[in-house]
Amino acid sequence: MNIYRMTFSPIEVNTYILADDSGECAVIDCGCYSLNESARFEKFLADRNLNPVMLLNTHCHLDHIFGNRFLLERYKLSTLSCKDDEVNRLSAVQHAELFGLEMEEPPEPGGFIEDGTKITLGESELIAYKVPGHSPGSLAFYSEKDKCVFTGDALFAGSIGRTD
């Protein structure tokens, strides 16, 4: 699996793109906030011949879901997230206002992921683990084969992350 990281929005959220050899890719936490960032994301995919087929959210705080509507409209991708984080998705517009930002109402998820759910992308497999603390529905996506985990804000470099 090829792993790419891009940083978006005034809050500087990491967006991960996981691609297999076929060019199909999963996107984790699309943080594209502006049209400029969406264009940069599209160019990144086009330059590498990547086709997004899945959108995963580690949690639904505003910065991690800024790009969900863009991916739905551009690539027809509905997000997969934890049902326990719906409270954050539903209050994202109001939270954006607290940061002095504007945001459209985020789209409804296409489905929900539970603890232990296996997610397949080509030859790769991710296992979703529920890691509440930062948010009620925080998820971590673990790839045993690639020895990596995507934790959203449950872990920060050099710290345990933030709990709310």
Side-chain angles (χ1 to χ4, degrees):
M1 175 168 57
N2 295 309
I3 302 169
Y4 306 97
R5 180 178 58 91
M6 300 180 81
T7 304
F8 296 112
S9 91
I11 301 174
E12 296 185 337
V13 67
N14 288 322
T15 296
Y16 291 95
I17 301 162
L18 317 179
D20 72 0
D21 291 335
S22 74
E24 289 190 341
C25 64
V27 179
I28 300 176
D29 293 343
C30 186
C32 294
Y33 180 71
S34 66
L35 292 175
N36 203 19
E37 290 179 341
S38 297
R40 186 166 55 101
F41 179 86
E42 285 182 289
K43 181 176 180 349
F44 182 91
L45 295 182
D47 288 349
R48 289 159 184 79
N49 294 314
L50 298 178
N51 177 36
V53 296
M54 186 181 315
L55 172 58
L56 304 170
N57 283 126
T58 58
H59 63 292
C60 294
H61 282 157
L62 70 155
D63 51 330
H64 291 257
I65 65 172
F66 278 144
N68 285 7
R69 179 163 302 284
F70 157 66
L71 286 183
L72 177 63
E73 292 173 357
R74 173 64 176 91
Y75 298 102
K76 308 297 184 240
L77 295 182
S78 294
T79 189
L80 300 171
S81 59
C82 182
K83 187 172 188 141
D84 292 341
D85 231 47
E86 276 294 278
V87 65
N88 287 313
R89 183 185 68 81
L90 294 171
S91 61
V93 172
Q94 291 78 23
H95 286 143
E97 290 172 1
L98 294 174
F99 284 91
L101 301 171
E102 292 182 12
M103 172 180 191
E104 287 185 50
E105 196 71 38
E108 290 189 27
F112 295 108
I113 299 172
E114 296 181 20
D115 187 58
T117 299
K118 292 183 181 179
I119 301 159
T120 304
L121 177 68
E123 303 274 324
S124 297
E125 181 180 85
L126 299 171
I127 300 174
Y129 290 102
K130 193 167 176 195
V131 292
H134 179 69
S135 73
S138 284
L139 295 169
F141 300 106
Y142 174 63
S143 170
E144 183 176 358
K145 179 181 174 185
D146 295 291
K147 306 286 186 242
C148 63
V149 64
F150 303 90
T151 64
D153 292 340
L155 291 174
F156 290 155
S159 81
I160 62 165
R162 195 183 90 209
T163 59
D164 294 337

